[in-house]
Amino acid sequence: RTLTSATIGDLPSDPGIISEAITKTAGTGVDIVKVGLFDDYLDQPLLDVFSAKSRLGMEIVIVLFADKSPDFSRIKKLAATGIKGVMLDTAMKKNGTLRTILKDSELKCFVDQTRAEGLLTGLAGSLALDDIEPLLLLNPDYLGFRGALCRKHQRIEAIDEMSVHRIRNRIPMAGITATKASALL
Protein backbone atom coordinates (compact mmCIF):
# COMPACT_ATOMS: atom_id res chain seq x y z
CA ARG A 1 0.00 0.00 0.00
CA THR A 2 1.28 3.44 -0.85
CA LEU A 3 -0.05 6.91 -0.20
CA THR A 4 -2.28 8.16 -3.02
CA SER A 5 -3.93 11.46 -3.87
CA ALA A 6 -6.36 12.74 -6.46
CA THR A 7 -7.66 16.14 -7.42
CA ILE A 8 -11.34 17.02 -7.56
CA GLY A 9 -10.75 18.69 -10.93
CA ASP A 10 -10.93 22.23 -12.19
CA LEU A 11 -14.06 23.45 -10.46
CA PRO A 12 -15.39 26.86 -9.42
CA SER A 13 -15.05 27.67 -5.72
CA ASP A 14 -18.74 27.07 -5.06
CA PRO A 15 -19.16 25.46 -1.60
CA GLY A 16 -21.85 23.00 -2.75
CA ILE A 17 -19.90 21.86 -5.81
CA ILE A 18 -16.64 21.60 -3.85
CA SER A 19 -18.30 19.68 -0.99
CA GLU A 20 -19.82 17.12 -3.35
CA ALA A 21 -16.57 16.74 -5.29
CA ILE A 22 -14.50 16.18 -2.12
CA THR A 23 -16.91 13.48 -0.93
CA LYS A 24 -16.94 11.79 -4.33
CA THR A 25 -13.16 11.86 -4.69
CA ALA A 26 -12.57 10.63 -1.14
CA GLY A 27 -15.01 7.82 -1.88
CA THR A 28 -12.60 6.41 -4.46
CA GLY A 29 -10.31 5.37 -1.62
CA VAL A 30 -7.49 7.85 -2.14
CA ASP A 31 -5.71 9.02 0.98
CA ILE A 32 -5.57 12.71 0.10
CA VAL A 33 -8.04 14.85 -1.84
CA LYS A 34 -6.52 17.88 -3.56
CA VAL A 35 -8.70 20.96 -4.00
CA GLY A 36 -7.47 23.69 -6.34
CA LEU A 37 -8.56 27.26 -5.71
CA PHE A 38 -8.52 28.25 -9.36
CA ASP A 39 -10.38 31.51 -8.97
CA ASP A 40 -8.51 32.34 -5.75
CA TYR A 41 -11.88 32.71 -4.01
CA LEU A 42 -12.00 31.80 -0.34
CA ASP A 43 -14.92 32.78 1.86
CA GLN A 44 -16.35 31.44 5.11
CA PRO A 45 -18.81 28.97 3.51
CA LEU A 46 -15.89 27.37 1.62
CA LEU A 47 -13.77 27.29 4.78
CA ASP A 48 -16.75 25.63 6.52
CA VAL A 49 -16.77 22.91 3.84
CA PHE A 50 -13.08 22.19 4.48
CA SER A 51 -13.72 22.08 8.23
CA ALA A 52 -16.67 19.72 7.92
CA LYS A 53 -14.85 17.33 5.59
CA SER A 54 -11.74 17.38 7.78
CA ARG A 55 -13.84 16.54 10.86
CA LEU A 56 -15.16 13.54 8.92
CA GLY A 57 -11.58 12.33 8.51
CA MET A 58 -11.05 13.37 4.91
CA GLU A 59 -7.45 14.44 4.29
CA ILE A 60 -7.50 17.60 2.15
CA VAL A 61 -4.65 19.45 0.51
CA ILE A 62 -5.50 22.89 -0.85
CA VAL A 63 -3.72 23.85 -4.06
CA LEU A 64 -2.83 27.50 -4.58
CA PHE A 65 -1.56 28.72 -7.94
CA ALA A 66 1.63 30.74 -8.29
CA ASP A 67 0.50 32.32 -11.55
CA LYS A 68 -2.66 33.65 -9.90
CA SER A 69 -0.86 35.73 -7.25
CA PRO A 70 -1.93 33.65 -4.25
CA ASP A 71 -2.36 35.34 -0.90
CA PHE A 72 -0.17 33.35 1.51
CA SER A 73 -1.67 35.20 4.47
CA ARG A 74 -4.72 32.95 4.06
CA ILE A 75 -2.71 29.85 5.00
CA LYS A 76 -3.50 30.50 8.68
CA LYS A 77 -7.26 30.48 7.94
CA LEU A 78 -6.88 27.31 5.90
CA ALA A 79 -4.92 25.62 8.70
CA ALA A 80 -7.71 26.40 11.16
CA THR A 81 -10.07 24.19 9.11
CA GLY A 82 -8.09 21.04 9.88
CA ILE A 83 -6.84 20.41 6.34
CA LYS A 84 -3.72 18.30 5.88
CA GLY A 85 -1.67 20.63 3.73
CA VAL A 86 -1.22 23.31 1.11
CA MET A 87 0.45 22.85 -2.25
CA LEU A 88 1.72 25.51 -4.63
CA ASP A 89 1.34 24.75 -8.35
CA THR A 90 0.78 26.59 -11.63
CA ALA A 91 -2.63 26.81 -13.25
CA MET A 92 -1.69 27.86 -16.76
CA LYS A 93 1.32 25.80 -17.78
CA LYS A 94 2.06 28.16 -20.67
CA ASN A 95 2.68 30.98 -18.15
CA GLY A 96 5.92 29.34 -17.03
CA THR A 97 7.20 26.98 -14.40
CA LEU A 98 6.85 27.43 -10.67
CA ARG A 99 10.45 28.64 -10.44
CA THR A 100 10.07 31.14 -13.29
CA ILE A 101 6.92 32.62 -11.75
CA LEU A 102 8.16 32.83 -8.15
CA LYS A 103 11.68 33.26 -6.83
CA ASP A 104 13.15 30.53 -4.64
CA SER A 105 13.04 33.01 -1.73
CA GLU A 106 9.26 33.38 -2.22
CA LEU A 107 8.87 29.62 -2.39
CA LYS A 108 10.88 29.26 0.82
CA CYS A 109 8.55 31.77 2.48
CA PHE A 110 5.56 29.68 1.38
CA VAL A 111 7.15 26.45 2.69
CA ASP A 112 8.10 28.03 6.01
CA GLN A 113 4.72 29.70 6.50
CA THR A 114 2.82 26.52 5.66
CA ARG A 115 5.01 24.39 7.88
CA ALA A 116 4.65 26.90 10.74
CA GLU A 117 0.91 26.18 10.65
CA GLY A 118 1.59 22.44 11.03
CA LEU A 119 0.62 21.62 7.45
CA LEU A 120 2.20 19.45 4.80
CA THR A 121 3.71 21.53 2.05
CA GLY A 122 4.12 20.62 -1.60
CA LEU A 123 5.60 22.28 -4.65
CA ALA A 124 4.66 21.54 -8.26
CA GLY A 125 4.25 23.41 -11.51
CA SER A 126 5.96 22.13 -14.64
CA LEU A 127 8.92 20.99 -12.59
CA ALA A 128 11.91 19.54 -14.42
CA LEU A 129 14.93 17.50 -13.42
CA ASP A 130 17.01 20.61 -12.76
CA ASP A 131 14.40 21.97 -10.32
CA ILE A 132 14.77 19.07 -7.90
CA GLU A 133 17.95 20.07 -6.07
CA PRO A 134 17.06 23.75 -5.50
CA LEU A 135 13.54 22.84 -4.38
CA LEU A 136 14.74 20.10 -2.02
CA LEU A 137 16.90 22.73 -0.32
CA LEU A 138 13.67 24.61 0.53
CA ASN A 139 12.58 21.52 2.50
CA PRO A 140 9.02 20.92 1.22
CA ASP A 141 7.31 17.68 2.23
CA TYR A 142 6.89 16.69 -1.39
CA LEU A 143 7.42 17.71 -4.99
CA GLY A 144 4.77 17.14 -7.65
CA PHE A 145 5.59 16.06 -11.19
CA ARG A 146 3.44 15.33 -14.19
CA GLY A 147 4.83 16.49 -17.53
CA ALA A 148 8.38 15.58 -16.54
CA LEU A 149 7.22 11.99 -16.07
CA CYS A 150 5.45 11.71 -19.42
CA ARG A 151 6.59 10.83 -22.91
CA LYS A 152 8.08 13.85 -24.69
CA HIS A 153 7.52 15.75 -21.42
CA GLN A 154 3.92 16.33 -22.52
CA ARG A 155 1.42 16.00 -19.69
CA ILE A 156 -1.20 14.49 -22.00
CA GLU A 157 1.14 11.65 -23.03
CA ALA A 158 1.57 8.31 -21.26
CA ILE A 159 3.95 7.90 -18.35
CA ASP A 160 7.51 7.26 -19.55
CA GLU A 161 9.35 4.70 -17.42
CA MET A 162 12.79 6.18 -18.10
CA SER A 163 11.60 9.65 -17.13
CA VAL A 164 10.20 8.28 -13.87
CA HIS A 165 13.56 6.64 -13.11
CA ARG A 166 15.50 9.83 -13.92
CA ILE A 167 13.32 11.90 -11.59
CA ARG A 168 13.31 9.28 -8.83
CA ASN A 169 17.09 8.91 -8.98
CA ARG A 170 17.51 12.63 -8.29
CA ILE A 171 15.35 12.50 -5.17
CA PRO A 172 17.06 11.02 -2.10
CA MET A 173 15.46 8.28 -0.09
CA ALA A 174 13.38 9.19 2.97
CA GLY A 175 15.39 10.14 6.02
CA ILE A 176 18.07 12.00 4.11
CA THR A 177 18.04 15.71 4.89
CA ALA A 178 18.02 18.36 2.18
CA THR A 179 21.60 19.32 3.11
CA LYS A 180 22.75 15.73 2.64
CA ALA A 181 20.64 15.53 -0.51
CA SER A 182 22.46 18.46 -2.09
CA ALA A 183 25.74 16.69 -1.46
CA LEU A 184 24.38 13.57 -3.18
CA LEU A 185 22.99 15.31 -6.23
Side-chain angles (χ1 to χ4, degrees):
R1 173 117 169 85
T2 190
L3 186 70
T4 58
S5 69
T7 179
I8 63 169
D10 301 356
L11 300 173
S13 295
D14 175 275
I17 292 170
I18 296 292
S19 178
E20 184 178 329
I22 291 172
T23 300
K24 191 175 191 177
T25 304
T28 67
V30 297
D31 300 295
I32 296 172
V33 176
K34 294 184 292 188
V35 178
L37 297 181
F38 286 94
D39 51 16
D40 206 34
Y41 182 72
L42 186 64
D43 64 358
Q44 193 58 50
L46 196 53
L47 290 168
D48 292 344
V49 167
F50 300 148
S51 293
K53 299 302 179 182
S54 294
R55 282 193 306 275
L56 290 172
M58 296 177 198
E59 302 281 351
I60 299 169
V61 168
I62 301 300
V63 183
L64 303 177
F65 297 97
D67 48 342
K68 293 188 171 267
S69 303
D71 180 0
F72 296 157
S73 69
R74 298 184 310 169
I75 292 171
K76 188 179 245 359
K77 283 184 181 179
L78 287 166
T81 68
I83 62 167
K84 184 157 188 86
V86 181
M87 180 176 187
L88 192 57
D89 198 348
T90 56
M92 303 299 294
K93 304 308 178 190
K94 66 182 179 194
N95 289 346
T97 70
L98 182 66
R99 293 185 66 230
T100 60
I101 295 169
L102 294 177
K103 298 175 190 168
D104 286 354
S105 60
E106 293 170 299
L107 297 174
K108 178 68 173 155
C109 180
F110 165 78
V111 169
D112 290 347
Q113 190 171 349
T114 304
R115 178 146 307 114
E117 295 300 330
L119 299 171
L120 281 179
T121 182
L123 300 172
S126 299
L127 301 182
L129 201 60
D130 291 339
D131 293 317
I132 294 172
E133 182 177 1
L135 291 179
L136 284 177
L137 293 174
L138 303 179
N139 204 25
D141 292 300
Y142 62 93
L143 300 176
F145 297 90
R146 184 168 170 184
L149 301 176
C150 297
R151 244 185 272 140
K152 302 177 197 170
H153 298 283
Q154 298 296 314
R155 46 191 282 120
I156 60 169
E157 294 285 334
I159 297 292
D160 176 66
E161 185 175 349
M162 291 306 295
S163 294
V164 172
H165 287 294
R166 275 192 294 277
I167 296 287
R168 180 62 191 103
N169 288 336
R170 293 291 292 270
I171 301 172
M173 300 304 273
I176 297 178
T177 65
T179 304
K180 291 180 188 174
S182 68
L184 294 173
L185 296 175

